[in-house]
Amino acid sequence: LIGFKLTATGSASRLVSERLDELVFLTDFTGADATGATSSDTAWNSATAMVGTETGGRTVVIPNGTFVLSNVSLAGKKGLRIVGDAGSVYSVIKVTGKITCNNTGNFQCEGVTFVGDVFNTTTRTVSSAPTSGNILFDMVDNCANWDITRCYFYGFDTVFRPNSGATNGSYIVNITDNYFGWNNTSII
């Protein structure tokens, strides 16, 4: 066992393994492709499964690069926090289908650029009108306590679609300091 202690006054000693468990990088998982050439669905599902089973305290870091997701789910994830690599807008998640959210609570996302299937990540332009049905967050039911901050959203048919099949309602608590561009609809 290896110990760790910050040099700051008042810092406590901890195990290195405990410190490393706080941050989980998408690239820690098999199937993560930062070039965007192949789908990163497998890595995304593994990372969010590990982190999203807790009430909080763990974070999935999206490193610099472009990670393609087709159809993935955040169903049942609690306390999930996703952040882009510090100080960069090049932590890109390209969604070619949708991210289904059902019973997803206490979700935080900060500093990530989300692009739809018509966004060219090389030229950073939209090649055509967004594809119908290309939905970033399809909030099916009971999605409470969301905090989305300093994210970019480009080239989607719909960015947030709350209550798409709701019986208990879907609620976004805080959407601040974000940029929405070239989308058909940002929030329905």
Side-chain angles (χ1 to χ4, degrees), residues 92-103:
V92 178
I93 295 177
K94 183 171 186 171
V95 179
T96 59
K98 65 182 176 182
I99 298 176
T100 303
C101 307
N102 185 11
N103 197 24

Side-chain angles (χ1 to χ4, degrees), residues 38-157:
T38 60
S39 171
S40 293
D41 285 2
T42 302
W44 173 270
N45 289 334
S46 296
T48 58
M50 177 185 172
V51 175
T53 58
E54 313 220 349
T55 56
R58 281 190 161 171
T59 300
V60 175
V61 178
I62 308 300
N64 286 341
T66 300
F67 298 90
V68 175
L69 302 179
S70 53
N71 285 297
V72 296
S73 175
L74 291 177
K77 304 295 186 256
K78 305 287 186 194
L80 178 60
R81 183 168 187 256
I82 297 172
V83 298
D85 212 354
S88 173
V89 294
Y90 300 110
S91 299
V92 178
I93 295 177
K94 183 171 186 171
V95 179
T96 59
K98 65 182 176 182
I99 298 176
T100 303
C101 307
N102 185 11
N103 197 24
T104 306
N106 301 321
F107 175 69
Q108 297 177 358
C109 188
E110 181 177 350
V112 177
T113 299
F114 293 94
V115 297
D117 60 349
V118 296
F119 191 84
N120 183 317
T121 56
T122 302
T123 62
R124 300 205 182 280
T125 58
V126 173
S127 59
S128 63
T131 305
S132 178
N134 187 204
I135 301 164
L136 177 54
F137 293 115
D138 192 12
M139 304 170 75
V140 178
D141 198 9
N142 198 24
C143 296
N145 302 320
W146 282 39
D147 188 3
I148 311 293
T149 308
R150 292 191 307 273
C151 291
Y152 294 80
F153 304 94
Y154 299 107
F156 287 98
D157 183 28

Side-chain angles (χ1 to χ4, degrees), residues 165-187:
T167 56
N168 294 320
S170 297
Y171 306 96
I172 300 172
V173 173
N174 187 21
I175 301 176
T176 55
D177 298 328
N178 296 290
Y179 179 80
F180 296 86
W182 301 304
N183 302 298
N184 284 343
T185 307
S186 294
I187 301 172

